[in-house]
Amino acid sequence: MSDLPKSVRIGLVAYRGAQKAALYGLADVFDVAARHASENGAGRTLVQAIVPAEDPETLDLAGHDILILPPNLSGARGAADTALRAALRRRHAEGAVIASVCAGAFWLGHAGLLDGRPATTQWLLEDEFREAFPKVRLATERILIDDHDIVTAGGIMAWIDLGLHLVARTLGSEVASLTMRHLLIDPVGREQRNYRSFRPVLGHGDDRIRQLQLQMEQAPEGDWRVAAMADRAGMSERTLARRFAGATGLTPNAYVRNLRIEKARGLIENSRLPVAGIAEAVGYSDLSAFAKTFQEITGLTASAYRKRFALGA
């Protein structure tokens, strides 16, 4: 490590609407990490600074090795922040690592830094982000993606994951472990799909498809094969499949899988029913098929999900 700089300078970009908890929380994480690095002879340290970025006239991102765009709580998406976007492009071209959390990824997208690259953002923003930046290889099931000079993190509180990741990347895993233990946090191994909810589209205007959806909500354990759905809707299977996908964005089978697992999540969180009973309640007669589907969609086994999210745990 002798050829590496002794100090890594991190700039926390305080643009308009930036989440203050992320700005000051990241500052604390890096300060704690720097202290442990010093006490344990790591040979390097972190120097953090909150960088004012609301006024284009005084904006200055120079001197920072890593720049972090925190979440945004105002609903803005960075399209109008031309000075900040230009400064980010310039610093990236000069060799700085650029990172974002949650909606902060929109600023990177508008700066043209994500085209053709893997990235993540808050899963609730997926449709909006894909529409704005179709060239980005978006993976919202991931909570953090390190693409070397660009690092993106998902949900609003994923600044914790990003902060610890950057500590490990710059100061090593031992300092990262000491920092986690000091702060009593351990986000390692999380994925956004652990938290993601299925939100059916109902405002599409196709009344017959919407009636099917409402019937599924009331009885997810029912017979929801395509043939049965087509019979209920009074149309051919081919027409049903086409109209259903056009209205909801999902094939009928994919919709049923997602709806049933969402219902199962709720039962796991709010009841003490055994997993086998929950599987049956949402329409799975084969427990192994339920277990496989649940883990594919949520990233966790049903028992691990209950341990983490059960409201009465």
Side-chain angles (χ1 to χ4, degrees):
M1 296 177 62
S2 60
D3 59 332
L4 296 174
K6 295 290 185 183
S7 296
V8 178
R9 299 157 300 177
I10 299 181
L12 307 170
V13 183
Y15 62 96
R16 191 178 303 277
Q19 184 192 27
K20 291 181 174 60
L23 287 169
Y24 294 105
L26 282 166
D28 287 342
V29 168
F30 296 139
D31 282 347
V32 169
R35 191 186 318 160
H36 284 295
S38 175
E39 292 172 355
N40 290 272
R44 301 181 80 192
T45 191
L46 293 177
V47 178
Q48 61 79 20
I50 294 177
V51 183
E54 292 191 12
D55 185 353
E57 298 297 323
T58 59
L59 176 64
D60 183 6
L61 303 183
H64 300 287
D65 304 302
I66 300 173
L67 289 161
I68 299 176
L69 278 290
N72 182 282
L73 300 183
S74 71
R77 296 291 182 259
D81 286 346
T82 54
L84 177 54
R85 286 156 40 197
L88 290 170
R89 283 195 299 271
R90 184 164 56 252
R91 285 300 297 135
H92 180 254
E94 292 167 349
V97 172
I98 311 295
S100 68
V101 185
C102 193
F106 281 82
W107 275 256
L108 274 61
H110 283 301
L113 299 178
L114 298 180
D115 285 354
R117 305 186 68 149
T120 189
T121 187
Q122 160 71 270
W123 64 267
L124 286 168
L125 302 176
E126 178 175 0
D127 292 343
E128 182 183 355
F129 195 91
R130 287 190 187 280
E131 183 175 354
F133 311 111
K135 296 180 181 179
V136 179
R137 290 153 50 198
L138 191 64
T140 53
E141 72 278 6
R142 302 275 298 280
I143 209 155
L144 187 142
I145 294 177
D146 185 336
D147 197 36
H148 308 293
D149 54 322
I150 299 288
V151 185
T152 52
I156 289 177
M157 295 303 293
W159 58 263
I160 300 173
D161 303 75
L162 176 66
L164 291 173
H165 177 78
L166 292 175
V167 169
R169 172 170 158 165
T170 56
L171 300 181
S173 58
E174 182 178 355
V175 173
S177 178
L178 289 168
T179 304
M180 284 190 283
R181 288 158 59 189
H182 185 130
L183 298 173
L184 300 182
I185 50 178
D186 182 16
V188 175
R190 295 195 302 161
E191 296 181 69
Q192 283 208 79
R193 60 178 174 164
N194 301 160
Y195 306 90
R196 184 170 193 153
S197 296
F198 175 58
R199 299 191 171 196
V201 176
L202 293 170
H204 43 67
D206 191 323
D207 289 339
R208 279 202 275 182
I209 298 301
R210 183 164 50 248
Q211 285 305 310
L212 283 175
Q213 292 175 269
L214 295 176
Q215 292 168 23
M216 290 183 209
E217 290 283 349
Q218 294 170 350
E221 76 284 0
D223 181 2
W224 296 112
R225 294 171 299 170
V226 173
M229 293 168 67
D231 186 57
R232 286 178 186 238
M235 59 184 75
S236 70
E237 292 182 34
R238 184 173 181 178
T239 299
L240 180 281
R242 175 177 54 78
R243 283 179 57 172
F244 197 97
T248 70
L250 294 170
T251 66
N253 288 334
Y255 188 97
V256 171
R257 287 174 75 248
N258 279 279
L259 177 66
R260 284 175 167 169
I261 296 305
E262 186 64 22
K263 296 288 188 181
R265 283 186 195 245
L267 290 170
I268 290 172
E269 293 171 11
N270 296 288
S271 79
R272 296 183 179 275
L273 283 172
V275 172
I278 290 173
E280 186 175 354
V282 300
Y284 283 90
S285 57
D286 183 341
L287 181 58
S288 63
F290 169 79
K292 180 180 179 182
T293 304
F294 190 92
Q295 188 160 10
E296 284 178 353
I297 290 176
T298 70
L300 296 168
T301 65
S303 58
Y305 188 91
R306 170 166 273 163
K307 184 176 181 180
R308 182 179 293 188
F309 294 110
L311 298 181

